[in-house]
Amino acid sequence: MATANGRPTKTAMLVAQRIAGDISKGNLQPGASLPPERTMLETYEIGRGTLREALRLLEFQGVITLKPGPRGGPVLLRPDASHLSNTLLLLMQLADAPYRVIVEARYALEPMIGRLAATRMTEPDLAELGETVKQMAEDINDQRSFLEANKRFHDIIAWSSGNVLFGYIIDALLDILDGTVLGIDYPSHRRAAILKAHREIYETLKNRDADGSELRMREHIEAYVKFAERRYPELLKQVVAWDRLS
């Protein structure tokens, strides 16, 4: 078997892919232990070194953790978006991609995400979304807490779209979406405008208004773009480095 560039796929990668496939087929849940080493050596008909390399590949991707000790071994985890985030940032840095590309991605994706969420969001998610708006109102003078609630607001909507890829992409980019890691600051009047926009978006979602949700989200992102272009034009040109989230 070969990769897209024609090079043969390493045996350890093929084994890791088979293990991942068996995890899916077995519908194993986070916290479940994978079979012991001896069983996997027999199942996949490989050597111990290849198996351990395959497990390290899965560990690096956040799929498993290798529990030490006599009763240890590979334990299934619930992968989060941090691995995707690191990969995206590394690729962006190597491509000399500026922060503006993230801004453009937000503008393209989040209005559609808002549209989907309007018809797919559950009542518990809607209630949680309302709590983020409440927190932002209460902590409007505390920028750190305010922006944490802001991130959570967008994260909930992304996952509520019912599209897991949207969820992972927004989750992966949350720590750099608002630009604070690059030095963007939000004065009180800007925070007030964000709160107002979030309240309007929340109401459209509560009313299951797909058109309104898409429109309000687009207006919200447009306002952010105009703010960044006016106040921080040089930061929009700045390359986002891989170490920004470390």
Side-chain angles (χ1 to χ4, degrees):
M1 184 174 180
T3 59
N5 59 19
R7 292 196 296 267
T9 305
K10 290 183 64 175
T11 302
M13 176 60 76
L14 293 174
V15 174
Q17 292 168 348
R18 289 184 61 190
I19 294 173
D22 289 341
I23 290 171
S24 297
K25 291 175 186 175
N27 195 29
L28 298 181
Q29 300 301 309
S33 295
L34 298 191
E37 184 179 85
R38 180 183 299 177
T39 301
M40 285 197 282
L41 290 175
E42 294 174 356
T43 299
Y44 302 113
E45 300 179 327
I46 52 174
R48 182 172 284 106
T50 300
L51 175 61
R52 290 180 177 176
E53 184 178 353
L55 294 176
R56 281 194 294 270
L57 287 171
L58 292 173
E59 183 181 34
F60 179 75
Q61 294 297 331
V63 177
I64 64 171
T65 183
L66 298 176
K67 187 178 178 182
R71 296 186 179 181
V75 177
L76 192 60
L77 298 175
R78 186 183 302 280
D80 57 37
S82 61
H83 297 82
L84 175 60
S85 179
N86 278 311
T87 299
L88 288 174
L89 286 178
L90 175 58
L91 292 175
M92 287 178 63
Q93 179 175 333
L94 294 177
D96 289 326
Y99 177 61
R100 180 176 288 279
V101 304
I102 293 178
V103 174
E104 292 173 351
R106 287 195 74 179
Y107 187 75
L109 292 177
E110 292 206 66
M112 176 55 67
I113 289 172
R115 166 174 282 277
L116 293 175
T119 58
R120 298 176 179 179
M121 179 173 277
T122 66
E123 289 301 320
D125 285 338
L126 189 61
E128 188 176 359
L129 190 70
E131 287 301 312
T132 68
V133 176
K134 181 180 178 181
Q135 181 183 340
M136 292 174 72
E138 292 175 348
D139 297 340
I140 195 166
N141 294 319
D142 181 344
Q143 178 167 285
R144 181 175 180 179
S145 179
F146 179 89
L147 291 178
E148 283 300 318
N150 173 62
K151 292 176 183 177
R152 185 66 184 142
F153 179 89
H154 288 275
D155 194 35
I156 292 170
I157 294 176
W159 285 106
S160 296
S161 70
N163 185 307
V164 68
L165 183 57
F166 283 156
Y168 275 120
I169 290 173
I170 297 301
D171 209 0
L173 296 176
L174 272 177
D175 284 333
I176 51 176
L177 282 179
D178 60 23
T180 51
V181 294
L182 298 178
I184 292 181
D185 186 62
Y186 294 85
S188 58
H189 72 275
R190 181 62 197 141
R191 275 175 264 153
I194 293 171
L195 175 59
K196 180 177 181 293
H198 281 208
R199 282 173 169 159
E200 292 174 350
I201 294 168
Y202 171 76
E203 288 300 320
T204 62
L205 292 169
K206 183 179 178 181
N207 294 328
R208 306 298 178 178
D209 179 359
D211 289 339
S213 180
E214 181 179 1
L215 176 61
R216 292 291 173 260
M217 185 65 82
R218 179 172 290 110
E219 290 173 343
H220 177 40
I221 304 303
E222 281 179 348
Y224 168 71
V225 173
K226 290 177 181 177
F227 167 74
E229 288 178 337
R230 184 175 67 255
R231 294 285 298 272
Y232 300 98
E234 292 304 313
L235 287 183
L236 290 173
K237 303 175 186 177
Q238 185 173 323
V239 173
V240 181
W242 188 27
D243 62 1
R244 284 293 183 176
L245 298 186
S246 61

